[in-house]
Amino acid sequence: MRRGCTAAALLLAVWAAAWAPSATASGPRFDACVTVVADPGVDPGTARDCREALARAWPAMVADVWPIDGARPRFEIRLMTTDGFRALHRDRIADWGVGLAADDRAWVDVERSLGGGRTAAHVTLHEAVHCLLHQALPGVTGVPAWFHEGLAQDLSGEWRFRDTVSLILDGHVPDLARLETGFPADAGRADQAYRTGLLAVQSLRDWHGRDVVPRLIDAARREGDFRAAMSEVTGAEPSAFRER
């Protein structure tokens, strides 16, 4: 696990460097915003890899998800063993789940094998994006699950391991309208849903510019409704985006 996390950290470092120019010098600092704690039994090397990957990716994540001057997010990420994670969240998450996030904290199972090259470092970044979105959009209505999950995959680097092309070729793209409030619990259907969310966020960037996410978040904060923000930023109703 540690060897995989180290490789992932190197990949994430390259990815973060490519995005770094978009981060502003006045952005909130990682060490002032995020606390990463490791439970007893968590491999110290794995914990270090997760912390380092998140610290490197932080400027790019903040530039995209936190277009807010004069404020900073604050949350804790808890790295856990599989036994500890399952004992705490057994009733709140599907059997295949390895991460969970709320407003000011996230929990990551760093021991379970994810397969396909994804590591605990990717999950740590994924859950950090959820925390940032929760805190960037307090009280905003209509924030779709597909946007949360698609953006978390995109900014964590998981897009490298998610095949959206076959989803299209197979003709099995789930309706975005069904992914507004939550994702399926069934592993197979959930995989389709995650890939669809990623495809939707990537399409937003392709059609409306690389800066579409911070513009959406800024508009949603002003409007108090994500659907109104979609209309303002894309120039069309959310239903038109779903159909496209």
Side-chain angles (χ1 to χ4, degrees):
M1 185 66 168
R2 178 181 174 183
R3 186 178 301 168
C5 277
T6 301
L10 291 173
L11 284 172
L12 290 164
V14 173
W15 169 84
W19 275 75
S22 64
T24 62
S26 60
R29 297 190 341 265
F30 170 74
D31 56 1
C33 299
V34 185
T35 301
V36 181
V37 298
D39 278 8
V42 169
D43 178 74
T46 298
R48 182 184 64 249
D49 291 339
C50 291
R51 287 190 187 97
E52 291 177 353
L54 181 54
R56 278 189 286 263
W58 181 254
M61 292 170 60
V62 167
D64 221 28
V65 189
W66 196 261
I68 307 166
D69 292 331
R72 70 182 186 189
R74 191 75 180 93
F75 57 91
E76 174 186 285
I77 295 182
R78 181 177 169 187
L79 307 179
M80 308 179 71
T81 64
T82 296
D83 287 344
F85 183 84
R86 300 311 302 175
L88 184 62
H89 297 301
R90 183 177 292 110
D91 298 330
R92 301 176 59 195
I93 194 169
D95 289 342
W96 44 264
V98 292
L100 189 68
D103 178 73
D104 61 352
R105 65 191 59 203
W107 303 263
V108 176
D109 176 353
V110 300
E111 291 186 336
R112 290 184 70 180
S113 174
L114 301 174
R118 291 170 64 239
T119 68
H122 292 103
V123 181
T124 300
L125 268 66
H126 182 115
E127 302 306 330
V129 173
H130 285 312
C131 288
L132 280 171
L133 277 173
H134 282 307
Q135 295 192 24
L137 299 171
V140 174
T141 59
V143 183
W146 63 258
F147 181 76
H148 250 279
E149 297 297 350
L151 189 59
Q153 291 172 89
D154 189 59
L155 291 179
S156 68
E158 290 174 291
W159 57 267
R160 295 182 180 88
F161 313 104
R162 288 286 190 188
D163 180 8
T164 56
V165 175
S166 66
L167 183 72
I168 299 169
L169 295 178
D170 290 344
H172 295 150
V173 183
D175 185 353
L176 276 187
R178 297 185 178 182
L179 304 179
E180 293 281 327
T181 58
F183 276 25
D186 173 77
R189 292 174 59 215
D191 178 67
Q192 281 191 336
Y194 275 100
R195 287 190 286 157
T196 301
L198 176 58
L199 178 62
V201 168
Q202 291 175 333
S203 297
L204 274 172
R205 294 193 194 279
D206 289 343
W207 300 339
H208 301 287
R210 291 297 304 177
D211 65 342
V212 68
V213 171
R215 287 191 288 123
L216 273 172
I217 292 173
D218 182 64
R221 287 173 59 86
R222 285 187 282 101
E223 298 289 343
D225 184 86
F226 193 85
R227 291 156 296 198
M230 282 277 290
S231 298
E232 175 184 324
V233 171
T234 69
E237 291 297 316
S239 59
F241 173 76
R242 291 196 297 267
E243 284 299 316
R244 185 176 180 185

